[in-house]
Amino acid sequence: MQSYSVLVVAAILFVLGLLGVLTRRNIIFILISVEIMLNAAGVAFVAAGARWGQPDGQVMFLFILAMAASEVSVGLALVMQVYHQHKTLDVSKLNNLKDDIET
């Protein structure tokens, strides 16, 4: 019964991260929400591995941590570049990135 409560917590974290991605307009908050979603997936893997007594969940969590670290480094580099060029981090104001070609 313990692993089900951990899965519920992971699901709640994932939904909170998804809501953050869908509702926030600031790029940094969107990246934080993606990190919350990745951590929720990692917690779910660890809980599933503990439920079946296998270390596979912990191994997958290590892969998720490595992916999250690379996502943070690339994402923050992109955020710095976007801020340097456009002087804003508001996604709705970054219309210069759109393609203006009409067909």
Side-chain angles (χ1 to χ4, degrees), residues 67-88:
M67 185 178 63
S70 63
E71 182 258 337
V72 164
S73 63
V74 171
L76 287 179
L78 288 173
V79 164
M80 289 174 56
Q81 187 66 26
V82 165
Y83 184 76
H84 179 71
Q85 288 180 356
H86 301 283
K87 301 297 184 229
T88 184

Side-chain angles (χ1 to χ4, degrees), residues 23-83:
T23 60
R24 295 292 185 165
R25 294 289 178 224
N26 192 324
I27 297 175
I28 293 177
F29 285 119
I30 292 172
L31 287 176
I32 290 171
S33 298
V34 169
E35 290 296 320
I36 291 171
M37 291 170 62
L38 286 173
N39 283 328
V43 168
F45 274 119
V46 170
R51 169 75 173 96
W52 289 298
Q54 298 292 325
D56 297 342
Q58 295 172 1
V59 171
M60 287 302 295
F61 187 69
L62 290 176
F63 285 129
I64 289 172
L65 281 179
M67 185 178 63
S70 63
E71 182 258 337
V72 164
S73 63
V74 171
L76 287 179
L78 288 173
V79 164
M80 289 174 56
Q81 187 66 26
V82 165
Y83 184 76

